[in-house]
Amino acid sequence: MQPWALQLADRFLHHILTPSYSKELAEPCKGHVNTLQNVAQSIVDSCPRPRSSDELDPIIEQAYVSLVASSSSTADPFQWRRLYSDASVLRCLVDLTSQALDEESAMSCVARLDHALIVAGAPGQGMQSLIRDLISKTQAEYLPREPFKYPPKLPVRPNRSPSAPHTPILSTSSGTIPRLVDAPPLSVFRREVMIRPFIMTGFASDWPAMNDHPWHSIDYLRSVAGRGRVIPVEIGKDYRTDDWTQRIMPWDDFLDSLEKDTTHSQTILYMAQHNLLSQFCGLREDIVVPDYVFTAPQAPATYPLYRPPDNEEELALNAWLGPTGTTSPAHTDPFFNLYTQVVGRKTIWLAPPKAGVTNAMYPYPPPSVGCDTEHIHNPAANSLAPSMTNTAQVDVFSDQNKDKFPLFWQDAVPEALSATLEPGDALAIPPGWWHAMRSEETSFSLSIWF
């Protein structure tokens, strides 16, 4: 028995045992309350039930299937998310408190807890914190890893490259994204970001992620996460195609794929728009969230429907990590975005909101009633506002589509801008602007929605 697991989960276990818990899980989830309570009581009493795992695994599976089904309907998935998380944590506590774990079981325990964070978001007061603590302690007890050898601190050399040339780098654009060599005052930033996109050259060059906590180091990325972790990845070059899919895979296996030459590989793995910094808290300490994102900008005239992210901070941080050639097709987002390049170079294409109004971007039509929802993909994994209507059918990185998309060349290209972000650069994008990205080498980027 591991007393530390019992201590960490004490409040969670006793909450499940309260009479009010059954009221918190609405039908049909309520039918599983008795099983959860029996398992929780056995853990508290240090009297493990022989079949606890066999009882919990089907509940976790049913919660997952129901959660996925509710995401494509009008049903509220919160209750299934809650059941999935609670049952997953109980399942791990059964292992942690009833037997001495071997390495394989410990890896499974960590992965199961990660699934609760990724798949269900671990709703409930203190649940995310509990899961992170259980992961950390399990890794320390059963899955030690050689500590990362930090490089000697070097003087910070910000990227202060000259202004971009006036010649656009893509044939599908007619201008370059403006660059600022020096970071502007808050008032200037707030005013400028309401009007147009712009690049702040070398803005993040003093972040720990670019210096003594190097995100370009695969060894560091392994160390900061620890063993047994899993992440969601996209499989395929373009989420608009039928062969594109997603799955959850081990973090170490994903990093192994980045170390290989995947330029000519048929399978491209891309961790796209995932809240990695919340999952791996050590990475959150490697960045400096700028004051700019707390300036509370008003809705710009070109996007009057703007609202900040619907959470306590009114902020959403997501990471993008993948090999050469990964792309995000042209799409729009409903938020202001400070898109920061940490590792590698990435080519950016932008067009103003009016390009969509004139149909020059050829956006996908809204799904018809009764359509096959299995073939509708989330654009850019935008879980806060998913809709294929904000994704363009045209490939903005190709000049071979003039006959198929004449309005794009007539109305969008004359207004479009392009540039290549270098490590340390930050791109400010107003809401509603069409944007597409292509990695020119292994790339690690961070989008900050506000």
Side-chain angles (χ1 to χ4, degrees):
M1 176 180 299
Q2 294 296 339
W4 55 263
L6 200 57
Q7 292 173 354
L8 284 175
D10 180 71
R11 182 178 297 181
F12 165 72
L13 291 168
H14 282 89
H15 178 69
I16 287 181
L17 295 173
T18 61
S20 63
Y21 182 70
S22 61
K23 299 178 181 179
E24 296 175 14
L25 289 182
E27 296 291 354
C29 301
K30 190 178 293 185
H32 299 296
V33 169
N34 187 56
T35 300
L36 299 187
Q37 289 182 327
N38 287 338
V39 173
Q41 188 66 61
S42 71
I43 295 173
V44 171
D45 294 341
S46 300
C47 263
R49 291 159 59 91
R51 296 178 55 82
S52 291
S53 299
D54 293 337
E55 292 176 309
L56 291 172
D57 287 345
I59 294 177
I60 295 171
E61 178 64 22
Q62 181 185 349
Y64 174 78
V65 171
S66 300
L67 193 162
V68 172
S70 63
S71 66
S72 60
S73 68
T74 58
D76 183 2
F78 176 82
Q79 297 293 339
W80 292 114
R81 291 172 51 221
R82 178 72 181 271
L83 180 64
Y84 184 94
S85 295
D86 289 358
S88 295
V89 172
L90 279 174
R91 176 68 173 80
C92 289
L93 290 173
V94 168
D95 289 344
L96 291 171
T97 59
S98 63
Q99 61 185 20
L101 290 187
D102 57 21
E103 182 176 290
E104 182 179 355
S105 298
M107 295 277 281
S108 296
C109 184
V110 170
R112 187 176 292 111
L113 293 168
D114 260 341
H115 274 77
L117 291 172
I118 297 167
V119 173
Q125 185 175 8
M127 277 295 289
Q128 292 189 12
S129 177
L130 169 61
I131 288 173
R132 293 189 193 101
D133 289 344
L134 286 172
I135 289 174
S136 178
K137 189 65 175 177
T138 302
Q139 289 176 323
E141 291 282 334
Y142 300 104
L143 303 170
R145 169 166 275 168
E146 190 75 21
F148 178 70
K149 295 180 180 180
Y150 290 91
K153 291 188 176 182
L154 300 174
V156 176
R157 294 183 175 87
N159 177 14
R160 293 289 186 252
S161 58
S163 300
H166 294 292
T167 303
I169 63 172
L170 293 174
S171 61
T172 53
S173 64
S174 299
T176 57
I177 305 171
R179 281 185 176 268
L180 305 178
V181 175
D182 297 313
L186 288 175
S187 59
V188 173
F189 177 93
R190 190 172 188 272
R191 182 177 67 246
E192 291 295 317
V193 80
M194 299 287 288
I195 303 171
R196 57 172 186 170
F198 57 90
I199 296 170
M200 295 183 289
T201 304
F203 176 77
S205 294
D206 58 350
W207 283 9
M210 298 193 63
N211 297 283
D212 51 341
H213 289 190
W215 285 12
H216 65 77
S217 166
I218 297 294
D219 289 340
Y220 176 72
L221 296 179
R222 293 188 195 279
S223 175
V224 76
R227 297 175 63 197
R229 308 306 299 267
V230 297
I231 58 156
V233 298
E234 296 182 358
I235 303 174
K237 187 175 181 180
D238 191 329
Y239 64 73
R240 296 172 298 182
T241 60
D242 287 338
D243 61 352
W244 177 93
T245 186
Q246 295 173 298
R247 69 181 174 95
I248 294 177
M249 69 178 295
W251 174 244
D252 283 343
D253 290 353
F254 176 68
L255 294 179
D256 286 343
S257 75
L258 290 180
E259 289 188 299
K260 301 173 183 177
D261 181 8
T262 58
T263 304
H264 303 292
S265 173
Q266 293 183 349
T267 302
I268 293 180
L269 302 178
Y270 190 22
M271 187 195 71
Q273 204 159 299
H274 172 51
N275 191 0
L276 187 69
L277 277 63
S278 175
Q279 188 183 355
F280 301 167
C281 294
L283 292 177
R284 180 63 175 76
E285 300 173 4
D286 295 343
I287 71 164
V288 180
V289 177
D291 291 340
Y292 293 138
V293 303
F294 301 108
T295 54
Q298 300 299 308
T302 55
Y303 199 83
L305 298 179
Y306 161 75
R307 297 290 185 278
D310 186 19
N311 56 37
E312 186 175 350
E313 290 185 298
E314 296 189 337
L315 196 69
L317 281 70
N318 288 291
W320 308 71
L321 175 58
T324 305
T326 49
T327 61
S328 293
H331 64 282
T332 65
D333 290 320
F335 310 108
F336 288 95
N337 187 1
L338 191 61
Y339 192 89
T340 305
Q341 192 65 19
V342 182
V343 177
R345 296 176 302 117
K346 185 168 281 188
T347 296
I348 311 294
W349 182 95
L350 296 166
K354 66 180 181 179
V357 175
T358 63
N359 207 41
M361 294 305 299
Y362 295 86
Y364 284 91
S368 59
V369 177
C371 69
D372 182 3
T373 56
E374 291 184 1
H375 290 86
I376 298 176
H377 305 310
N378 274 359
N382 180 355
S383 58
L384 294 184
S387 171
M388 281 298 282
T389 58
N390 74 341
T391 300
Q393 299 180 57
V394 60
D395 180 2
V396 303
F397 295 113
S398 171
D399 58 4
Q400 305 298 313
N401 47 32
K402 293 185 179 181
D403 293 335
K404 186 176 181 181
F405 302 109
L407 290 179
F408 171 76
W409 291 90
Q410 175 183 307
D411 297 334
V413 171
E415 302 285 340
L417 307 171
S418 60
T420 296
L421 296 182
E422 302 286 340
D425 289 348
L427 168 65
I429 311 175
W433 274 70
W434 293 87
H435 55 287
M437 283 85 168
R438 182 183 67 198
S439 298
E440 304 303 332
E441 53 200 23
T442 297
S443 171
F444 204 154
S445 314
L446 182 70
S447 60
I448 308 178
W449 281 348
F450 63 101

